[in-house]
């Protein structure tokens, strides 16, 4: 271990002896194109929050696959008279389309099959597929001018979760944990909950790198809770191992790791020690957190019958409220199977039934407990869907392709103006004509609600200062309360 002793005082003899190694390492670094990773905080003097926050925590209800904004949140009544008409070439302009529809002879307009109505005193226009969300209309802020740079699922999800279409960057939850830290020392600051659609067969996978820490220290990675068995793998002690025995084992292991760190100086060893200690504390805190037996009957009625079934979206929404109560900073829910290239009339209502009641219940529950004002709830996917039909169009069936040029998300609490709609799309909901909001603008606004200046939350990696919003991002002032 002598050659790895970074912390001891270096004599002149040591310096001369090691100089050759240093030159060799520098040469190798140059030959490899400077690929050696060096990561460190940019400026330890910056503290967060930078200003008084409106939100203390975030719950992101992510609908993976791209929910159809045309069928749910962006009302276009004029489309009804344009069924099966070709989308005018002027609407497309020079924009690219995906390879999945590149061979189509035409692009026929397909209006939504479902009615819209205005809800609440605010008069928010929402689809009849979202009746429970409609009951919470006066609490939500709808952004119809969202747009992204990505055209396919993986880069689009990666972009909205990490600020880059390329894998390897820290997730939003990791950035927030890095900036603000944990409120509850007995639970992770960043928790991930995955749910299956009611058909039990998601149309796409979710990679753990979406909640990874990237080049940030490993302690900022999201912790995934499971829907069955132990909420976290290996949470329970093996048979015959008591809590006192576990404590003794961890003390001995911690001493060994501290000894190794004193020689090697590797910061990831400290992360390992911290993770062991967090795991031990979670053995005491997580069973109580995930035990829903003491929730009153009216709570299950609010969230729906599925909230009694572990691993469902409804159960995860209820668990998200319990996590928020206990001070978890960033709670990420994923629900899949929104990728409706075909048979949309059959599948979209099923996904709405999975999430509508529970999403609205979460907002209502937080409001009733006085927690909505400092909890930011976000609902949406990685992009929207096209106004034209993908595949064969009939009077009763259609599909929609990916569409990143405009889509819709909604927000509640945490410093957002309730009952407000911001952004407007053209007659075909294909292009934004008013108040566009880029993904980096969304990320900057989320950080702003938490009291963070997105330009100051940076981390130096491979000689460059990185941030969640990369080199873009403007706070969307119109939506702020």
């Amino acid at each position: 271990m002598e050659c790895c002793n970074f912390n001891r005082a270096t004599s002149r003899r040591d310096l001369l002896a090691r100089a050759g190694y240093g030159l060799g390492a520098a040469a190798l670094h140059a030959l490899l194109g400077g690929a050696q990773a060096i990561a460190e905080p940019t400026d330890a003097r910056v503290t967060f929050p930078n200003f008084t926050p409106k939100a203390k925590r975030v719950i992101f209800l992510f609908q993976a696959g791209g929910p159809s904004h045309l069928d749910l949140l962006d009302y276009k009544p004029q489309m009804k008279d344009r069924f099966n008409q070709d989308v005018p070439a002027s609407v497309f302009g020079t924009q690219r389309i995906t390879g999945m529809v590149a061979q189509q002879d035409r692009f026929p307009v397909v209006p939504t099959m479902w009615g819209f109505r205005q809800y609440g005193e605010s008069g928010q226009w929402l689809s009849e597929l979202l009746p429970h969300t409609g009951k919470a209309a006066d609490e939500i802020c709808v952004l119809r001018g969202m747009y992204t740079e990505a055209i396919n699922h993986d880069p689009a999800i990666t972009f909205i979760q990490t600020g880059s279409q390329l894998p390897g960057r820290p997730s939003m939850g990791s950035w927030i944990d890095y900036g603000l830290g944990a409120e509850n020392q007995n639970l992770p600051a960043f928790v991930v909950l995955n749910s299956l659609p009611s058909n039990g067969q998601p149309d796409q996978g979710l990679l753990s790198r979406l909640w990874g820490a990237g080049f940030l220290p490993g302690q900022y990675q999201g912790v995934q809770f499971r829907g069955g068995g132990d909420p976290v793998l290996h949470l329970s002690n093996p048979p015959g191992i008591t809590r006192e025995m576990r404590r003794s084992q961890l003390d001995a292991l911690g001493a060994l790791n501290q000894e190794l760190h004193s020689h090697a100086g590797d910061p990831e060893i400290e992360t390992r020690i911290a993770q062991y200690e967090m795991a031990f504390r979670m053995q005491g805190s997580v069973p109580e957190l995930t035990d829903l037996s003491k929730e009153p009957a009216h709570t299950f009625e609010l969230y729906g019958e599925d909230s009694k079934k572990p691993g469902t979206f409804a159960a995860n929404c209820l668990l998200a409220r319990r996590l928020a109560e206990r001070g978890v900073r960033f709670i990420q829910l994923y629900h899949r199977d929104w990728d409706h290239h075909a048979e949309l009339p059959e599948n979209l209502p099923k996904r709405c039934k999975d999430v509508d009641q529970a999403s609205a219940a979460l907002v209502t529950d937080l409001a009733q407990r006085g927690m909505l004002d400092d909890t930011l709830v976000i609902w949406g996917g990685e992009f929207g869907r096209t106004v034209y039909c993908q595949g064969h169009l009939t009077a009763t069936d259609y599909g929609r392709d990916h569409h990143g040029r405009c889509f819709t998300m909604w927000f509640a609490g945490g410093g957002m103006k309730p009952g407000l709609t911001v952004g407007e799309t053209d007659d075909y909901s294909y292009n934004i004509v008013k108040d566009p909001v880029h993904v980096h603008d969304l990320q900057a606004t989320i950080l702003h609600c938490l009291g963070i200046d997105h330009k100051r939350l940076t981390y130096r990696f491979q000689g460059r200062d990185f941030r969640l919003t990369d080199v873009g991002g403007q706070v969307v002032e119109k939506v702020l309360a």
Side-chain angles (χ1 to χ4, degrees):
M1 297 300 297
E2 185 65 19
C3 67
C4 297
N5 187 350
F6 299 143
N7 296 328
R8 70 172 190 169
T10 302
S11 68
R12 181 171 57 183
R13 180 176 296 175
D14 287 329
L15 176 64
L16 293 173
R18 298 179 188 202
Y21 295 116
L23 292 172
L28 178 60
H29 180 78
L31 289 171
L32 294 174
Q36 185 178 352
I38 302 174
E40 59 185 9
T42 302
D43 189 346
R45 295 170 297 177
V46 178
T47 58
F48 302 97
N50 308 126
F51 45 85
T52 303
K54 292 291 182 71
K56 292 182 179 179
R57 64 198 73 86
V58 175
I59 303 175
F60 197 161
L61 309 177
F62 193 82
Q63 314 303 314
S68 173
H69 58 295
L70 281 152
D71 294 284
L72 299 177
L73 297 163
D74 194 0
Y75 183 39
K76 296 296 177 184
Q78 67 274 19
M79 288 293 101
K80 184 178 296 186
D81 298 328
R82 300 175 184 174
F83 176 79
N84 206 22
Q85 296 179 11
D86 288 344
V87 178
S90 59
V91 172
F92 292 109
T94 59
Q95 299 174 44
R96 61 177 178 164
I97 57 176
T98 73
M100 288 174 284
V101 296
Q103 303 304 314
Q104 287 191 189
D105 295 330
R106 55 191 296 262
F107 299 95
V109 171
V110 51
T112 182
M113 294 180 64
W114 295 278
F116 275 66
R117 54 166 286 198
Q118 289 181 285
Y119 289 88
E121 295 182 6
S122 58
Q124 298 270 30
W125 284 99
L126 301 173
S127 169
E128 63 182 352
L129 291 175
L130 302 174
H132 294 279
T133 304
K135 295 176 183 178
D138 290 335
E139 296 285 7
I140 68 175
C141 174
V142 179
L143 263 65
R144 288 182 175 166
M146 287 297 309
Y147 71 100
T148 183
E149 298 170 15
I151 201 168
N152 287 316
H153 294 291
D154 187 76
I157 295 176
T158 305
F159 192 41
I160 200 167
Q161 296 283 292
T162 73
S164 171
Q165 295 186 54
L166 300 177
R169 300 282 184 89
S171 64
M172 190 187 310
S174 296
W175 276 114
I176 290 170
D177 184 8
Y178 165 66
L180 296 178
E183 283 192 297
N184 186 337
Q185 298 303 312
N186 295 321
L187 288 170
F190 177 17
V191 171
V192 178
L193 304 169
N194 289 335
S195 59
L196 289 174
S198 54
N199 63 12
Q201 298 178 347
D203 57 353
Q204 57 186 184
L206 289 170
L207 301 175
S208 60
R209 61 175 169 75
L210 293 173
W211 51 91
F215 46 70
L216 293 176
Q219 69 193 73
Y220 301 114
Q221 177 170 315
V223 175
Q224 183 180 356
F225 281 27
R226 302 191 306 156
D230 278 349
V232 180
L233 285 172
H234 312 302
L235 183 69
S236 300
N237 284 321
I241 301 296
T242 66
R243 188 161 176 81
E244 291 72 22
M245 293 170 65
R246 175 65 73 196
R247 179 68 270 169
S248 177
Q249 290 172 347
L250 288 179
D251 289 342
L253 186 59
L256 290 172
N257 277 318
Q258 288 287 5
E259 177 67 18
L260 179 60
H261 181 264
S262 68
H263 287 285
D266 184 351
E268 285 301 310
I269 298 174
E270 292 182 318
T271 294
R272 187 188 311 154
I273 296 170
Q275 287 174 330
Y276 279 132
E277 291 300 319
M278 171 59 75
F280 181 76
R281 295 194 297 272
M282 286 171 64
Q283 285 184 317
S285 62
V286 170
E288 182 276 331
L289 162 71
T290 56
D291 180 9
L292 306 184
S293 62
K294 295 181 181 179
E295 288 287 347
H298 65 79
T299 297
F300 292 110
E301 292 173 5
L302 179 65
Y303 283 85
E305 191 65 25
D306 277 354
S307 61
K308 298 178 181 179
K309 304 173 185 176
T312 62
F313 182 82
N316 285 345
C317 281
L318 177 52
L319 185 56
R321 187 265 288 165
R322 293 172 65 86
L323 287 162
E325 284 180 309
R326 289 157 178 77
V328 175
R329 287 280 187 197
F330 196 91
I331 305 155
Q332 177 73 69
L333 276 69
Y334 290 100
H335 195 66
R336 288 170 279 180
D337 201 28
W338 293 91
D339 189 23
H340 300 144
H341 292 276
E343 300 178 342
L344 185 148
E346 177 184 350
N347 293 312
L348 184 62
K350 295 176 183 177
R351 298 295 77 77
C352 291
K353 186 177 181 181
D354 286 346
V355 307
D356 175 43
Q357 181 173 354
S359 300
L362 177 61
V363 173
T364 301
D365 198 5
L366 290 169
Q368 290 174 348
R369 295 168 184 271
M371 294 177 60
L372 187 59
D373 286 346
D374 60 7
T375 304
L376 177 59
V377 181
I378 307 167
W379 191 100
E382 66 269 32
F383 44 50
R385 316 300 296 193
T386 55
V387 66
Y388 56 80
C389 177
Q390 178 176 353
H392 182 61
L393 173 61
T394 72
T396 58
D397 192 26
Y398 58 90
R400 298 189 190 275
D401 196 13
H402 307 165
H403 190 57
R405 290 295 301 170
C406 62
F407 62 104
T408 306
M409 302 178 72
W410 64 253
F411 307 79
M416 294 292 213
K417 285 182 181 177
L420 180 70
T421 297
V422 174
E424 184 180 341
T425 58
D426 62 20
D427 286 348
Y428 293 86
S429 193
Y430 201 84
N431 300 291
I432 301 169
V433 296
K434 184 180 181 181
D435 295 324
V437 176
H438 185 270
V439 166
H440 285 150
D441 300 334
L442 167 70
Q443 294 160 342
T445 305
I446 292 170
L447 294 180
H448 180 87
C449 290
L450 292 162
I452 297 173
D453 179 346
H454 71 104
K455 294 181 180 178
R456 302 183 72 187
L457 183 61
T458 60
Y459 200 88
R460 183 170 290 274
F461 176 65
Q462 293 183 336
R464 174 192 161 186
D465 291 345
F466 284 85
R467 66 184 202 224
L468 174 63
T469 53
D470 197 44
V471 295
Q474 296 290 330
V475 175
V476 186
E477 300 286 348
K478 281 190 174 184
V479 303
L480 300 178

